[in-house]
Amino acid sequence: MGSYDATSPPPATAGPPGKQSEPPPKHNVNSSPVVAVVGLRMFLFTTALVAIIVMVTSKQTKLIPVAPGVAIPLSAKLNYVPSLIYLVTALSVACLYSIVSSVISVLALMKPGGSSTKLQLHFVMIDALLLGILASATGAAIGVAYVGFKGNSHTRWNKVCNTYDSFCLRSAVSLILSLVSSITLLLLVWISIHMLYKKTTRR
């Protein structure tokens, strides 16, 4: 009779024929930053859209006296200020871009490997370009708005916000929202660069 070794491991049990053990599912480690990016892009869409609506609806008409007992209606509106037209154009581009980039980011999040390095690099370049455009438009509009609020005694430009108070208030709200949109784009650039750095150092 053969001797039995108690220390030998038990024989492996054969599983069902044709079936192999499946590896554990891989989790997307980059899902959290991508979710944050999608949230920031939706926030960018909201702030840019509200800024456009507030600026476009800021028209105000007042009766301005031009002679004793004579007053004519004069309007203050977006079309009279080129820097505000530039700002609304930049906000419109940012609003449209935020929708497209949000959809692409969500589709990339649904993929097993997450967003590719090439896609993130494209996002960084477009976000940085749009940040420069929107920041310059906001700065130009703020310069004109400051003259409207304070005037300029050296060039004898009188302030107009004491007359067109509603127009100036709406313009100020739109400028604040535009500044928030610029900061949001800056955060998007930082996050995208951080994600690219983590990908390159992991290789």
Side-chain angles (χ1 to χ4, degrees):
M1 296 178 62
S3 61
Y4 173 73
D5 189 2
T7 62
S8 61
T13 57
K19 185 177 182 180
Q20 298 179 352
S21 58
E22 298 179 355
K26 294 182 179 181
H27 297 282
N28 188 5
V29 295
N30 295 325
S31 60
S32 296
V34 174
V35 170
V37 166
V38 173
L40 285 175
R41 294 193 186 281
M42 295 306 299
F43 181 71
L44 172 63
F45 168 76
T46 303
T47 54
L49 180 62
V50 174
I52 293 172
I53 294 174
V54 172
M55 182 63 74
V56 170
T57 59
S58 61
K59 179 180 178 181
Q60 183 181 12
T61 303
K62 297 292 288 288
L63 291 175
I64 306 299
V66 294
V70 179
I72 59 175
L74 293 177
S75 299
K77 57 182 180 179
L78 169 70
N79 298 341
Y80 296 161
V81 187
S83 61
L84 297 184
I85 298 176
Y86 176 34
L87 177 63
V88 171
T89 304
L91 287 170
S92 301
V93 175
C95 191
L96 177 61
Y97 169 71
S98 62
I99 298 176
V100 177
S101 59
S102 296
V103 173
I104 296 176
S105 298
V106 170
L107 293 178
L109 181 62
M110 296 171 62
K111 295 172 62 176
S115 57
S116 63
T117 304
K118 185 177 180 180
L119 178 62
Q120 291 180 1
L121 183 60
H122 288 165
F123 275 157
V124 169
M125 292 188 295
I126 300 176
D127 289 344
L129 176 63
L130 191 56
L131 171 61
I133 295 175
L134 186 56
S136 65
T138 304
I142 288 177
V144 174
Y146 180 82
V147 176
F149 273 101
K150 298 292 185 178
N152 192 325
S153 58
H154 302 286
T155 57
R156 298 183 182 277
W157 290 345
N158 298 325
K159 57 183 180 180
V160 297
C161 289
N162 56 339
T163 303
Y164 299 100
D165 50 351
S166 176
F167 173 79
C168 291
L169 179 60
R170 288 176 172 268
S171 299
V173 172
S174 182
L175 287 174
I176 293 174
L177 292 173
S178 177
L179 185 60
V180 173
S181 299
S182 300
I183 296 174
T184 304
L185 279 170
L186 179 61
L187 292 176
L188 285 170
V189 172
W190 284 350
I191 293 176
S192 298
I193 292 177
H194 178 68
M195 293 171 64
L196 282 174
Y197 174 76
K198 290 180 65 177
K199 277 195 171 184
T200 53
T201 54
R202 197 182 300 123
R203 293 178 178 177

